[in-house]
Amino acid sequence: QVQLVESGGGLVQAGGSLRLSCAASGSTFSINAIGWYRQVPGQQRELVAIITIGRSTNYADALKGRFTISRDSTKHTVYLQLNSLNPEDTAVYYCYAHSQNGLHAVATWGQGTQVTVSS
């Protein structure tokens, strides 16, 4: 149904910025919420930010103020602006979409994009 493709990851110095993109295709009409998680190897995947079809946003408390989520509905693309990066932000960042089609709920994950922050 829904396919997600991330881009924009890379290597950046501490204090720098990156902008991640996630392009959605397929059954985009069914998406209720879309956003980002991140994961360090050996640790649990954690929520970064979510934006809903009503344009409300939710951020992890520790990241609020440094990261900003936005979307372009025309292009079916969601963005994550990462500012003031530190080495602890190094992780694989995954795009996530929650879809609802009648009573059927579906979670879709992108392939992930690596963000590495050097000290």
Side-chain angles (χ1 to χ4, degrees):
Q1 289 187 327
V2 176
Q3 295 82 45
L4 304 172
V5 179
E6 302 103 325
S7 62
L11 176 65
V12 65
Q13 297 268 25
S17 299
L18 285 172
R19 190 180 75 160
L20 308 183
S21 299
C22 173
S25 61
S27 303
T28 58
F29 59 87
S30 67
I31 297 175
N32 301 125
I34 188 167
W36 298 88
Y37 285 69
R38 69 183 186 182
Q39 186 171 30
V40 176
Q43 300 184 13
Q44 293 188 153
R45 193 169 296 184
E46 64 178 354
L47 173 70
V48 176
I50 294 288
I51 187 166
T52 71
I53 58 172
R55 299 180 182 178
S56 64
T57 58
N58 292 292
Y59 294 89
D61 288 343
L63 305 178
K64 192 173 184 178
R66 295 195 298 121
F67 294 1
T68 303
I69 190 169
S70 62
R71 77 170 193 265
D72 185 331
S73 297
T74 301
K75 297 180 179 180
H76 304 297
T77 300
V78 64
Y79 305 94
L80 184 68
Q81 180 68 42
L82 312 176
N83 295 327
S84 302
L85 287 164
N86 59 65
E88 289 68 42
D89 296 316
T90 295
V92 177
Y93 286 70
Y94 294 92
C95 188
Y96 164 85
H98 181 270
S99 302
Q100 189 75 36
N101 189 355
L103 298 178
H104 184 48
V106 177
T108 303
W109 296 93
Q111 82 285 355
T113 185
Q114 177 72 47
V115 172
T116 303
V117 185
S118 62
S119 60

